[in-house]
């Protein structure tokens, strides 16, 4: 199976440095940091420098897209983050599920001490300021739109598109700092890059679609074999390879090209699309280390 050229995906180090500086400069303006990650790959979808960058600030991890992730695994991740000292809440910014828990988690848990201090000093009415951070496509705009209750125009996280930082006011005396800049994930190893490619968080050009689908099928065969059985009537066997699984899916779906060959490209597109849209069920791509669940 092809390997990824890691050099290809070490994108825009200059942009990252700029974002790092912006976060550092704005940190003093906020009471807490809300970091959004993808529930299907909570570690791969965050920038590992975030802990260092936001050191000393209370932090809430929002496990977004929880509608697409395995519920049991999401609970393990919540425990994992709590054990590592950050409060964590699962949300689905598409339907709004879990969002009612976000501000109470911030005020009653993440910022409990500050809120008590303010109460004592007669400052209970002071605004709570939050910085929202996360890699592109993880759901930052969706979250802000949901919390702010209005459809705000999305500005794309594209190099060259200038965004200025903006404060978004919510009803209940809370202000969100929507950070400009691009906070790329860090591709420390191939496995991280592959998980990001599965969810569509990084460009599909990095890996050809058939390689991507074959890797995904192998992961599913090992971890979620029922999803392949239910969706494609393919029961993974011991000696299956990514290619044999892809061919089986193509065959079951009648994706043939002339001469009786299987159209593996079409099958690959189908598998990847159906995974991303949740049609293969709720699937988590990485799990916390056992002792930290
Ligand atoms: P960003 O600002 O961090 O870049 O992310 P954004 O909110 O634009 O969300 C990226 C994509 O993820 C959007 O899909 C959005 O609808 C989807 N999304 C965000 N939160 C959730 C969630 O909790 N569950 C699911 N299933 N999807 C979520 P899109 O295809 O780019 O646009 P569209 O489908 O909204 O048209």
């Amino acid at each position: 199976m092809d390997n990824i050229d890691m050099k290809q995906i070490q994108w825009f180090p200059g942009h990252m440095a700029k974002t790092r500086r912006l976060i550092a400069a704005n940190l003093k303006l906020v009471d807490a940091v809300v970091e959004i990650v993808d529930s299907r790959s909570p570690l791969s979808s965050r920038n590992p420098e975030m802990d260092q960058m936001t050191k000393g600030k209370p932090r809430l991890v929002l496990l977004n897209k929880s509608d697409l992730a395995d519920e049991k695994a999401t609970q393990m991740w919540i425990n994992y983050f709590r054990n590592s000292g950050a409060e964590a809440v699962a949300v689905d910014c598409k339907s709004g599920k879990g969002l009612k828990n976000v501000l109470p988690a911030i005020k009653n848990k993440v910022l409990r001490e500050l809120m008590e201090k303010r109460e004592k000093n007669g400052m209970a009415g002071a605004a709570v300021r939050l910085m929202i951070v996360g890699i592109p496509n993880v759901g930052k705009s969706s979250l802000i739109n949901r919390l702010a209750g209005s459809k705000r125009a999305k500005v794309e996280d594209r190099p060259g598109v200038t965004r200025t930082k903006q404060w978004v006011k919510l009803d209940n005396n809370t202000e969100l700092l929507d950070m400009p800049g691009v906070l790329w994930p860090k591709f420390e190893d191939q496995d991280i890059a592959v998980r990001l490619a599965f969810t569509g968080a990084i460009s599909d050009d990095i890996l050809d679609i058939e390689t991507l689908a074959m890797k995904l099928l192998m992961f599913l065969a090992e971890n979620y074999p029922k999803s392949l059985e239910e969706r494609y009537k393919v029961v993974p066997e011991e000696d299956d390879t990514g290619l044999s699984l892809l061919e089986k899916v193509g065959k079951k779906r009648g994706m043939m090209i002339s001469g009786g060959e299987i159209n593996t490209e079409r099958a690959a597109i189908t598998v990847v699309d159906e995974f991303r849209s949740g049609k293969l069920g709720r699937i988590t791509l990485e799990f916390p280390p056992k002792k930290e669940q």
Side-chain angles (χ1 to χ4, degrees):
M1 212 178 270
D2 292 350
N3 274 336
I4 305 170
D5 178 358
M6 294 300 282
K7 270 187 273 149
Q8 260 190 56
I9 50 176
Q10 302 298 333
W11 292 323
F12 317 123
H15 282 273
M16 193 57 225
K18 195 173 157 208
T19 304
R20 212 184 284 123
R21 282 198 301 276
L22 268 169
I23 289 179
N26 287 292
L27 214 50
K28 57 182 174 297
L29 304 179
V30 300
D31 301 306
V33 173
V34 176
E35 181 185 6
I36 312 185
V37 300
D38 188 320
S39 298
R40 295 167 296 176
S41 52
L43 288 190
S44 298
S45 62
R46 64 190 300 253
N47 189 296
E49 291 176 35
M50 190 48 77
D51 289 336
Q52 188 59 33
M53 281 190 265
T54 62
K55 218 172 171 182
K57 276 289 161 191
R59 190 153 47 98
L60 176 70
V61 177
L62 281 191
L63 291 141
N64 190 33
K65 308 199 183 186
S66 59
D67 54 311
L68 299 174
D70 177 342
E71 277 169 297
K72 252 168 57 193
T74 300
Q75 191 52 52
M76 286 180 202
W77 280 112
I78 290 176
N79 297 343
Y80 167 88
F81 284 111
R82 286 183 181 159
N83 287 340
S84 69
E87 181 52 29
V89 172
V91 293
D92 162 4
C93 289
K94 203 152 192 167
S95 74
K97 204 170 161 209
L99 284 172
K100 63 176 188 320
N101 303 325
V102 174
L103 293 181
I106 290 168
K107 294 187 178 178
N108 304 333
K109 291 189 178 153
V110 180
L111 291 177
R112 191 182 170 158
E113 271 178 41
L114 178 75
M115 301 314 276
E116 284 172 358
K117 209 164 109 192
R118 284 185 178 174
E119 184 83 38
K120 244 198 231 149
N121 300 338
M123 301 275 291
V128 169
R129 296 201 170 91
L130 308 169
M131 179 188 284
I132 309 284
V133 295
I135 66 167
N137 214 35
V138 77
K140 294 179 298 300
S141 309
S142 308
L143 174 79
I144 294 170
N145 289 338
R146 280 266 171 200
L147 291 180
S150 65
K151 200 86 191 143
R152 294 175 335 116
K154 175 173 163 69
V155 184
E156 291 197 25
D157 289 319
R158 238 189 290 126
V161 177
T162 315
R163 275 171 67 187
T164 50
K165 81 174 183 214
Q166 21 175 329
W167 287 99
V168 179
K169 279 185 198 284
L170 309 187
D171 295 341
N172 28 22
N173 216 10
T174 308
E175 295 174 13
L176 307 179
L177 179 59
D178 183 9
M179 285 292 292
V182 181
L183 190 69
W184 293 111
K186 203 169 178 189
F187 313 106
E188 281 165 328
D189 64 38
Q190 294 248 351
D191 290 342
I192 294 179
V194 167
R195 285 184 209 112
L196 291 166
F198 286 164
T199 60
I202 58 174
S203 158
D204 279 340
D205 310 337
I206 301 302
L207 264 185
D208 76 87
I209 189 77
E210 288 177 56
T211 306
L212 191 62
M214 287 191 278
K215 284 179 185 284
L216 181 57
L217 287 167
M218 287 300 278
F219 173 84
L220 295 173
E222 199 175 313
N223 297 281
Y224 294 94
K226 284 228 151 49
S227 69
L228 298 180
E229 202 179 329
E230 279 163 19
R231 185 77 192 164
Y232 303 118
K233 309 278 175 286
V234 168
V235 180
E237 284 163 27
E238 192 83 347
D239 58 351
D240 264 320
T241 61
L243 180 59
S244 67
L245 288 168
L246 188 59
E247 286 176 340
K248 285 181 184 177
V249 170
K251 201 165 168 192
K252 290 277 185 192
R253 284 287 175 99
M255 293 171 170
M256 312 302 275
I257 34 182
S258 57
E261 241 182 89
I262 297 160
N263 189 340
T264 46
E265 190 184 353
R266 250 187 82 199
I269 294 169
T270 302
V271 169
V272 173
D273 279 354
E274 294 193 348
F275 164 73
R276 287 180 183 161
S277 62
K279 293 199 179 91
L280 297 184
R282 300 172 67 143
I283 289 161
T284 295
L285 297 169
E286 64 182 338
F287 308 94
K290 276 265 178 294
K291 63 175 177 12
E292 294 173 86
Q293 289 167 15

